[in-house]
Amino acid sequence: MIENYGILGWIVIGLLAGGIAKLLMPGKDPGGCLITILLGIAGALLAGFLGKAVGWYDESEAAGFVAAVIGAFLILLVYRLVLRRR
């Protein structure tokens, strides 16, 4: 579970999830390393929130790594769409 790792664990898992999401999504990405970490962490939080909302996770559980990657991918997609409109 992600929540047992502490802040350093969130950063490492966020970096990995964001990096994998960047690799899976073709095209240029406007963000750097810090944006990748933040998107990965946000993806893990999004996956955990949505998983709890639909009953996949209990309140004490965090999202798994695959769910964090999927969440980071979705957030990266939204991030690119918002920046493209500017």
Side-chain angles (χ1 to χ4, degrees):
M1 287 189 281
I2 294 173
E3 62 195 21
N4 293 335
Y5 295 125
I7 189 70
L8 184 59
W10 278 101
I11 292 171
V12 170
I13 290 173
L15 174 66
L16 293 172
I20 291 171
K22 268 188 169 182
L23 290 175
L24 293 174
M25 184 172 287
K28 260 185 144 176
D29 189 38
C33 185
L34 182 61
I35 297 297
T36 300
I37 293 171
L38 293 175
L39 290 174
I41 293 170
L45 292 172
L46 174 68
F49 175 75
L50 292 177
K52 289 175 188 174
V54 297
W56 292 340
Y57 306 115
D58 290 331
E59 287 300 316
S60 63
E61 293 179 318
F65 183 72
V66 173
V69 171
I70 293 169
F73 184 86
L74 293 174
I75 289 178
L76 181 59
L77 178 66
V78 170
Y79 177 72
R80 285 184 178 185
L81 291 173
V82 167
L83 287 183
R84 187 176 295 159
R85 291 178 192 245
R86 287 185 176 182

